[in-house]
Amino acid sequence: MEKQIVFSGVQPSGNLTLGNYIGAIKNWIKLQDEYDCNFSVVNLHAITVPQVPANLRKNTLEVLAIYLAAGLDPEKSDIFIQSHVPEHLELSWILNSISYMGQLGRMTQYKEKSQKSEENLNAALFTYPVLMAADILIYGTDLVPVGEDQKQHLELARDLADRFNNKYSETFVVPEPLIQKEGARIMSLQDPTKKMSKSDENENGYILILDDRDTIIRKVKRAVTDSIGIVQYTDEQPGVKNLLNIYSVLTDRPVEEIVKDYEGKGYGDFKGDLAIVIADYLEPVRDRYEEIIKDKEYLESVYKTGAENARKKARKMLSKVQRKVGFIPMI
Ligand code: AMP
Ligand code: TRP
């Protein structure tokens, strides 16, 4: 039986957080043996918000190195930089032609980001989800492992696949999101009603994958909780709930068991232990990262091979799509 196909990506827009790790990357590692996996550093998406070119360059290699440090294996998966596979853009143009302005205008991420940059709203921010659909559909992807916040974009990708298939005949696989129940949405440590995000102005709100031990411990100790003072898993205690989620995902233990451990204990003990859980978890990733980021030749070989393989697959689908919409093949 042929392996099912997986695609996912993270934007190189600054340092990655524990939210990215738990919501996305961590789940990719275990898919590699069973699926035909494609993982991309989606730099084309990153320029929908202002970027300093030198930082974008640096962040792109950093995300690639984090992928590898986390356990993505170039022997098993195609790991590449999005702009090295321009077929995504060619497909995205075609998909734009069947995308409705109204539907794109309803995308939550667009609404949020456009409010932040009203003065110089760019067209790419608006069509961003169409490019994301192209990323996915061009590989005939079955499964897309992402965090909860990407669900709406996935829904659009599914709609576009269906719409194209109905209009031009069966072409695309309609992809399914793969969203883990726990950890799908890691919240800010300073405001547990907001998702943990690297664009938070308050750096105590997020933990970076590359934060050092002391920083992690400090941030966890400062995490906002409540005045109830009991470690329990309820919606009335969103801060504690979020910390319990992180604890549970990183230790692979059910929340109830952890809650039991802290019966009769206060938040101090709980946060102290959680800080160590997180620091211990991320330390080996950071150590491997330090090695990999120094080895530019290795990084280059990974992204070159990844893109070469990805392009072969992407070309096939693109040619098929071009024929269906009525473009004349040159050869
Ligand atoms: P981004 O940083 O927006 O490129 O997101 C990359 C991946 O990380 C996507 O699959 C997101 O759904 C996931 N992600 C980002 N932030 C969080 C969070 N706070 N909790 C869970 N998943 C997240
Ligand atoms: N939009 C995603 C995010 O912000 C990143 C992304 C781009 C992506 N293309 C994708 C994720 C394709 C999954 C599949 O997190």
Side-chain angles (χ1 to χ4, degrees):
M1 224 176 75
E2 285 215 4
K3 284 185 176 177
Q4 283 205 312
I5 298 170
V6 163
F7 182 94
S8 198
V10 171
Q11 298 185 57
S13 43
N15 288 310
L16 299 196
T17 69
L18 187 64
N20 295 126
Y21 199 86
I22 294 177
I25 301 172
K26 181 174 182 286
N27 307 313
W28 303 353
I29 312 300
K30 43 188 189 223
L31 298 173
Q32 296 184 99
D33 289 315
E34 265 181 72
Y35 296 89
D36 172 359
C37 290
N38 305 278
F39 297 114
S40 183
V41 182
V42 291
N43 59 342
L44 298 170
H45 279 91
I47 62 165
T48 56
V49 297
Q51 299 286 344
V52 177
N55 293 348
L56 181 58
R57 229 169 268 138
K58 183 165 160 282
N59 291 335
T60 302
L61 291 181
E62 272 182 21
V63 172
L64 183 69
I66 288 178
Y67 281 4
L68 298 166
L72 289 191
D73 179 352
E75 300 288 324
K76 295 179 184 164
S77 304
D78 286 325
I79 305 170
F80 61 95
I81 296 169
Q82 189 186 23
S83 61
H84 291 163
V85 187
E87 287 78 7
H88 292 215
L89 290 164
E90 298 186 62
L91 178 59
S92 131
W93 179 253
I94 295 172
L95 294 178
N96 266 317
S97 73
I98 56 162
S99 298
Y100 301 138
M101 305 283 285
Q103 191 174 14
L104 296 182
R106 283 194 298 276
M107 295 291 127
T108 325
Q109 192 173 337
Y110 169 73
K111 286 198 275 188
E112 279 170 14
K113 288 195 178 174
S114 59
Q115 270 161 10
K116 278 190 201 155
S117 56
E118 259 168 67
E119 280 132 57
N120 51 2
L121 250 195
N122 67 76
L125 193 62
F126 189 68
T127 56
Y128 166 120
V130 182
L131 176 59
M132 176 162 164
D135 296 341
I136 296 167
L137 301 183
I138 205 162
Y139 297 103
T141 302
D142 298 285
L143 283 179
V144 186
V146 282
E148 177 78 33
D149 60 341
Q150 295 302 312
K151 210 171 163 181
Q152 196 186 23
H153 289 160
L154 243 293
E155 212 38 63
L156 179 85
R158 290 167 56 84
D159 282 355
L160 290 177
D162 264 333
R163 202 172 297 153
F164 189 96
N165 291 348
N166 287 330
K167 187 166 178 187
Y168 296 104
S169 82
E170 203 60 30
T171 309
F172 293 123
V173 174
V174 181
E176 297 282 345
L178 184 66
I179 300 174
Q180 301 292 322
K181 216 164 93 241
E182 286 94 19
R185 202 170 160 79
I186 299 298
M187 310 310 279
S188 158
L189 299 182
Q190 290 297 312
D191 176 358
T193 62
K194 281 193 335 206
K195 76 163 186 174
M196 180 181 286
S197 162
K198 54 203 165 201
S199 57
D200 198 331
E201 321 73 66
N202 183 351
E203 60 168 33
N204 287 320
Y206 53 77
I207 289 172
L208 298 178
I209 296 174
L210 300 179
D211 272 346
D212 61 43
R213 227 183 152 77
D214 291 347
T215 309
I216 294 174
I217 292 173
R218 181 169 42 81
K219 287 179 178 176
V220 175
K221 290 203 166 148
R222 286 193 189 164
V224 168
T225 49
D226 52 68
S227 56
I228 297 175
I230 302 168
V231 179
Q232 54 188 358
Y233 196 75
T234 90
D235 288 339
E236 276 94 89
Q237 293 171 258
V240 174
K241 185 176 176 186
N242 185 41
L243 298 180
L244 276 167
N245 274 333
I246 298 174
Y247 205 134
S248 164
V249 174
L250 295 187
T251 55
D252 254 327
R253 291 175 61 205
V255 164
E256 305 81 61
E257 211 179 287
I258 300 166
V259 167
K260 265 216 185 91
D261 283 354
Y262 291 95
E263 255 171 43
K265 296 187 188 168
Y267 293 158
D269 286 339
F270 173 58
K271 284 182 180 178
D273 292 348
L274 173 61
I276 291 173
V277 164
I278 300 175
D280 284 350
Y281 191 92
L282 292 179
E283 192 160 76
V285 178
R286 203 174 60 240
D287 289 347
R288 282 194 296 273
Y289 168 86
E290 296 299 346
E291 288 302 309
I292 294 169
I293 196 70
K294 282 190 281 199
D295 194 346
K296 294 291 182 283
E297 243 171 71
Y298 174 61
L299 287 169
E300 212 175 283
S301 77
V302 169
Y303 69 63
K304 268 194 180 158
T305 310
E308 277 163 14
N309 294 340
R311 283 198 81 171
K312 280 191 203 127
K313 300 186 264 189
R315 267 274 133 223
K316 262 196 200 153
M317 179 65 88
L318 184 65
S319 303
K320 195 161 143 189
V321 170
Q322 287 177 329
R323 268 199 316 277
K324 295 212 183 190
V325 298
F327 295 171
I328 295 174
M330 197 167 67
I331 37 159

